[in-house]
Amino acid sequence: MASGNAFFDELRSKPEVIDPPQNEDIIDSESVNDPTQAAIKPNVTVSSSVRELLECPVCLNAMYPPIHQCSNGHTLCSGCKPRVHNRCPTCRHELGNIRCLALEKVAASLELPCKYQSFGCIGIYPYYSKLKHESQCSYRPYSCPYAGSECTVIGDIPYLVAHLKDDHKVDMHNGSTFNHRYVKSNPHEVENATWMLTVFSCFGQYFCLHFEAFQLGMAPVYIAFLRFMGDDNEAKNYSYSLEVGGNGRKMTWQGVPRSIRDSHRKVRDSFDGLIIQRNMALFFSGGDRKELKLRVTGRIWKEQ
């Protein structure tokens, strides 16, 4: 519902996430991300009117203590109070420092299903634990790992594999070894460099091999790295090696694939992969050094 005031409409467009209260009587940090530890109870249905009571009228996010109210009883989350200059966004009265303890107690009595229930999470969580659980829930969807575009698709791993194949036309390969060839006619161009992504299926899992050029300082460099389509705790069960060479020389890299929970840019900017300086890449390419011809080979294995 519109507030009738452009200032408050603008604030709605900039939601601020408030951390749940650190109340030891309410939050069990050891079990907040484990659906098996959360009581498996009949699905709790909370009426829309109660949900609306717990929704901040400015940012529209769920409210957590301290929940503020004006003298007329209108509520507001603690994050938005300073942003409205201590004026109630509903009636414009001064807010003061009145807490709505009754609403805080109502919230503490609620138990809700995880918002990722449709992805398989079966846990029921206290209101004040739910937000923390959802930020770590193992069932939360993954973002599309395709680089070079602002793809906003999210989903589970089978859905993303089909999406990469059908929508991004990514090459799919079976097996744990690879032989990747990269050719570029003008190695001095970085802005128009092709983003290469290949998906490998092995050990019942999927892995993304990235190879690309990017600017490091004044010169282009090339990087190859592997990402695991799953969570970090599973990624640590695997290792991989990469090798590039030519003219009697070679460079090798061995590492652990990063989870696609880490963004492509985060992995690239941490230099967690095989990095080839342009001069070395041209040396490996041979010839007149005017065309880039690199062959990257490697393999993936499961640690015992």
Side-chain angles (χ1 to χ4, degrees):
M1 181 176 70
S3 66
N5 186 302
F7 173 71
F8 296 117
D9 290 339
E10 180 183 357
L11 287 177
R12 285 193 181 97
S13 68
K14 302 175 181 177
E16 180 174 323
V17 178
I18 307 300
D19 291 333
Q22 300 302 306
N23 188 323
E24 62 184 8
D25 294 329
I26 298 173
I27 296 179
D28 179 1
S29 61
E30 295 297 324
S31 62
V32 71
N33 192 36
D34 186 357
T36 63
Q37 297 300 317
I40 307 302
K41 305 173 183 177
N43 198 353
V44 178
T45 302
V46 180
S47 68
S48 59
S49 60
V50 174
R51 289 182 182 273
E52 289 174 2
L53 284 174
L54 291 166
E55 185 179 88
C56 174
V58 174
C59 66
L60 305 183
N61 289 328
M63 294 188 289
Y64 296 92
I67 298 175
H68 296 278
Q69 70 174 26
C70 72
S71 57
N72 289 326
H74 303 124
T75 55
L76 184 73
C77 79
S78 59
C80 287
K81 184 187 176 190
R83 300 164 69 189
V84 297
H85 308 295
N86 206 35
R87 289 285 176 181
C88 174
T90 304
C91 66
R92 310 298 172 82
H93 282 195
E94 186 175 349
L95 284 170
N97 291 306
I98 307 173
R99 281 181 65 174
C100 188
L101 298 177
L103 189 56
E104 291 178 10
K105 290 182 179 179
V106 168
S109 70
L110 299 179
E111 292 181 320
L112 303 171
C114 173
K115 72 176 181 180
Y116 301 123
Q117 188 179 52
S118 62
F119 288 93
C121 185
I122 59 175
I124 303 296
Y125 296 92
Y127 181 84
Y128 292 140
S129 300
K130 181 173 176 286
L131 189 65
K132 182 175 182 179
H133 161 76
E134 289 171 349
S135 71
Q136 305 168 355
C137 179
S138 59
Y139 290 96
R140 69 192 189 279
Y142 298 88
S143 297
C144 172
Y146 190 79
S149 70
E150 298 300 325
C151 185
T152 58
V153 168
I154 61 172
D156 58 17
I157 299 303
Y159 178 83
L160 288 182
V161 169
H163 164 69
L164 288 169
K165 179 181 178 181
D166 298 336
D167 298 329
H168 293 298
K169 310 302 180 185
V170 169
D171 289 336
M172 301 283 176
H173 295 275
N174 291 317
S176 59
T177 61
F178 43 86
N179 191 330
H180 185 98
R181 183 173 171 80
Y182 185 77
V183 178
K184 187 169 177 58
S185 59
N186 186 353
H188 296 277
E189 290 184 2
V190 175
E191 293 79 6
N192 299 318
T194 302
W195 304 78
M196 305 294 290
L197 172 61
T198 307
V199 174
F200 293 89
S201 175
C202 55
F203 307 109
Q205 306 289 348
Y206 291 94
F207 300 83
C208 296
L209 175 64
H210 296 266
F211 185 84
E212 65 185 70
F214 71 103
Q215 198 79 24
L216 182 62
M218 299 299 292
V221 297
Y222 304 91
I223 184 170
F225 57 88
L226 197 72
R227 288 202 290 167
F228 175 75
M229 295 189 71
D231 282 339
D232 185 61
N233 61 332
E234 296 179 89
K236 293 175 181 177
N237 295 324
Y238 302 90
S239 296
Y240 74 103
S241 63
L242 297 171
E243 181 178 303
V244 62
N247 286 332
R249 281 115 173 137
K250 67 180 180 181
M251 294 174 60
T252 59
W253 163 268
Q254 181 173 320
V256 176
R258 295 278 286 272
S259 166
I260 60 171
R261 294 285 188 203
D262 288 336
S263 71
H264 158 268
R265 181 178 293 275
K266 180 179 180 180
V267 179
R268 187 198 72 183
D269 291 350
S270 67
F271 311 122
D272 193 1
L274 175 64
I275 297 177
I276 314 159
Q277 301 291 337
R278 183 180 62 184
N279 287 340
M280 184 61 71
L282 292 174
F283 178 79
F284 288 152
S285 299
D288 57 7
R289 299 168 62 92
K290 292 183 178 179
E291 185 178 43
L292 184 72
K293 295 180 180 179
L294 288 178
R295 185 177 296 279
V296 178
T297 61
R299 71 183 184 95
I300 306 165
W301 65 92
K302 188 171 184 178
E303 296 292 350
Q304 299 300 320

